[in-house]
Amino acid sequence: MLNIVLFGPPGAGKGTQSQNLIEKFGLIHLSTGDILRGEIANGTPLGVEAKKLMDKGFLVPDEVVIGMIANKLDLNQDAKGFIFDGFPRTVAQAEALDQLLSSKNNAISGMVALEVNEEELEKRLLIRGKDSGRPDDQNPAIIKKRVQEYTTKTAQVANFYKAQNKFYAVGGIGSISEIFESIVNVVTQL
Ligand code: AMP
C-alpha cells in the first residue's frame, strides 16, 4: 500500500495536490477538513460541535478526527492506499494513525511537506475565501489563529515522521504542475 501524509500549513496547497495525487496513483483521499465540512452540511451533532471550533480557527479534539479516520479505513479495506490531507495535525493523532495502520499490517510510506511562507499563505487563503465561501478563510484574525494552531500543535508532527526517516520536504511555491512534479518525484521513490 502507498500511504502518504500530505503536510503543510493552511493554504499550502494540500487539497489541490491531493486531487492530482489520487488521480495519478489511484489512492483514496482522506481530508478530515472535508469530512468535518460534510458533517456541518448535514447538520449532524458532530458537525454542530465542530463548527463552533472551526469557525474560530481552533483544532477539533483528537478523538473526533481519529474516530473519523478509523471509520474511513474500515470502509476502504481494499484501497491501494490513502492520501491523508490535514491529518494528523497533532502528535497524538500521528501515534493513533500508526496504530490504526499497523493493526491492519500497514504503515505510512512517507510524509510530503509543502513549504510555503506565511505571507504567501495569508494571500492565498484570502483569495480562496472569496471563491470557496469558507468562513474560516475570510477573516485575517481567524487565519492567524489557524496558523498559530499549526505552529504550536501541528508543526511538531513533522519531527514524528523525521524520527522514522519518512519526512520529505517539497517547495510549495510555483505553478501547480511544477509543485506536483516535485511531489511525484518523491512519491515514486516510496
Ligand atoms: P482544513 O480543511 O484541513 O483546513 O481544516 C479546517 C478546520 O477543520 C481546521 O481549522 C480544524 O478546525 C478542523 N480540522 C481539520 N482536520 C483536523 C484535524 N486533523 N485535527 C483537528 N482539527 C481538524
Side-chain angles (χ1 to χ4, degrees):
M1 257 183 134
L2 184 60
N3 293 314
I4 310 290
V5 174
L6 194 55
F7 190 69
K14 301 187 293 293
T16 305
Q17 297 298 348
S18 290
Q19 285 308 322
N20 290 337
L21 282 166
I22 58 172
E23 278 168 32
K24 184 166 175 78
F25 294 99
L27 306 173
I28 303 246
H29 182 206
L30 293 184
S31 155
T32 39
D34 284 352
I35 301 169
L36 287 164
R37 282 184 288 277
E39 297 278 342
I40 292 172
N42 290 327
T44 66
L46 191 158
V48 171
E49 285 310 303
K51 183 172 167 36
K52 293 179 194 162
L53 294 164
M54 290 166 73
D55 282 354
K56 294 196 187 93
F58 292 114
L59 295 184
V60 305
D62 286 337
E63 54 276 18
V64 172
V65 285
I66 292 166
M68 291 182 336
I69 290 290
N71 186 31
K72 293 287 181 191
L73 294 180
D74 284 343
L75 288 172
N76 292 285
Q77 305 264 12
D78 298 332
K80 281 167 71 180
F82 297 93
I83 302 279
F84 297 93
D85 163 8
F87 179 92
R89 258 181 161 96
T90 63
V91 172
Q93 291 177 23
E95 285 167 352
L97 179 59
D98 268 6
Q99 275 171 19
L100 285 170
L101 290 172
S102 79
S103 73
K104 297 178 192 308
N105 291 319
N106 264 306
I108 289 298
S109 315
M111 165 184 269
V112 177
L114 292 171
E115 297 192 325
V116 179
N117 63 55
E118 203 169 316
E119 197 183 331
E120 171 76 11
L121 292 173
E122 185 170 349
K123 210 168 71 189
R124 287 188 189 178
L125 285 171
L126 287 169
I127 292 170
R128 185 170 85 184
K130 289 199 191 112
D131 298 338
S132 73
R134 272 181 59 170
D136 59 346
D137 283 343
Q138 291 175 18
N139 177 333
I142 294 170
I143 291 175
K144 233 185 185 68
K145 182 75 222 163
R146 287 164 63 206
V147 172
Q148 197 182 327
E149 288 280 78
Y150 176 82
T151 311
T152 56
K153 298 176 185 163
T154 306
Q156 343 159 15
V157 176
N159 294 332
F160 180 88
Y161 292 100
K162 280 179 190 166
Q164 298 184 14
N165 289 320
K166 290 181 179 175
F167 177 86
Y168 304 88
V170 167
I173 294 189
S175 73
I176 291 173
S177 56
E178 277 165 4
I179 299 165
F180 183 55
E181 204 180 305
S182 310
I183 298 174
V184 169
N185 281 340
V186 171
V187 171
T188 44
Q189 288 167 45
L190 295 176

